[in-house]
Amino acid sequence: MCIRDRSVIYPGSFDPLTNGHINIIKRASKSFDKVVVAVAVNSSKSSIMNIDQRVKVIKKIFKNNNKIVVDKFEGLLVKYANQKKIKTILRGMRTVQDFEYELQMATSNNKLDSTIETIFMVADANFAHISSSLIKDIIKLGGSAKEFIPGAVESELKKILDKRK
Ligand code: PNS
């Protein structure tokens, strides 16, 4: 594969960003000149954090790393990738359960635009059990998620949920 621009898009819902996402982003920043963390506006999943809250907290986490750019996108990912002139999409793969969904997404994106390639990074074993949905459940039920998410994300989530009470 030719990584022409040495930049990669790491798309996701990031509701919320987890330590697993952070691990992938940091590792990717060692292999690529630029990692664009692209937060999806129109995620079909019902989100706790709105798009601006998600973008803000991710920017805060990576504020000292100039190889990591945080952005949002709406609509088709391949369109966004073309607008950014980045042809490589990065996704993390945790377990075999992820494989089917990721295969469908990567194949669909490649059918929509054959110039777009998806590459995968295998999740670090320390983070393979972490998912945003699980974390949302823990926080909603009053548990502590500090093992799974950064403090800044946890306090933002708690603030949002407290306001809703
Ligand atoms: O973190 P997630 O929820 O697994 O991320 C999924 C995401 C946002 C990357 C995916 O749903 C997406 O790319 N949405 C944008 C709409 C799109 O392009 N759909 C066709 C891709 S198959």
Side-chain angles (χ1 to χ4, degrees), residues 5-21:
D5 45 17
R6 303 286 302 162
S7 294
V8 72
I9 293 177
Y10 181 57
S13 306
F14 305 114
D15 183 50
L17 178 85
T18 69
N19 290 341
H21 295 132

Side-chain angles (χ1 to χ4, degrees), residues 11-13 40 45 73 75-77 91 101 105 108-109:
S13 306
K45 300 169 184 172
F73 77 100
L76 282 180
L77 177 58
R91 293 283 292 172
Y101 171 58
M105 235 176 8
S108 307
N109 282 331

Side-chain angles (χ1 to χ4, degrees), residues 23-160:
N23 176 263
I24 297 274
I25 295 165
K26 284 188 177 163
R27 283 161 59 204
S29 74
K30 292 182 187 146
S31 301
F32 290 88
D33 295 330
K34 187 165 88 171
V35 180
V36 178
V37 181
V39 187
V41 173
N42 276 346
S43 168
S44 51
K45 300 169 184 172
S46 59
S47 57
I48 288 193
M49 301 172 89
N50 68 34
I51 183 68
D52 294 330
Q53 290 163 333
R54 282 179 274 155
V55 167
K56 189 174 149 203
V57 80
I58 303 172
K59 278 189 174 162
K60 195 169 164 185
I61 305 278
F62 295 111
K63 66 176 189 298
N64 295 325
N65 191 331
N66 58 12
K67 290 176 86 179
I68 299 165
V69 174
V70 185
D71 194 14
K72 58 184 172 187
F73 77 100
E74 192 160 15
L76 282 180
L77 177 58
V78 292
K79 272 198 186 167
Y80 172 77
N82 277 311
Q83 276 161 16
K84 290 279 153 190
K85 298 188 168 43
I86 299 176
K87 295 289 183 182
T88 314
I89 292 169
L90 170 69
R91 293 283 292 172
M93 186 86 78
R94 289 167 302 185
T95 58
V96 72
Q97 275 93 340
D98 279 346
F99 180 75
E100 212 165 315
Y101 171 58
E102 294 301 334
L103 179 74
Q104 278 180 341
M105 235 176 8
T107 310
S108 307
N109 282 331
N110 190 259
K111 293 280 178 217
L112 287 168
D113 183 336
S114 62
T115 66
I116 303 282
E117 288 293 348
T118 302
I119 61 168
F120 296 96
M121 208 172 246
V122 173
D124 183 297
N126 292 316
F127 304 111
H129 59 290
I130 302 178
S131 77
S132 296
S133 330
L134 189 129
I135 287 159
K136 278 187 272 196
D137 270 356
I138 294 173
I139 301 265
K140 276 182 194 163
L141 298 170
S144 165
K146 69 171 188 288
E147 287 237 358
F148 314 116
I149 52 178
V153 176
E154 184 168 27
S155 48
E156 195 62 37
L157 268 178
K158 286 196 167 148
K159 236 193 287 172
I160 293 164

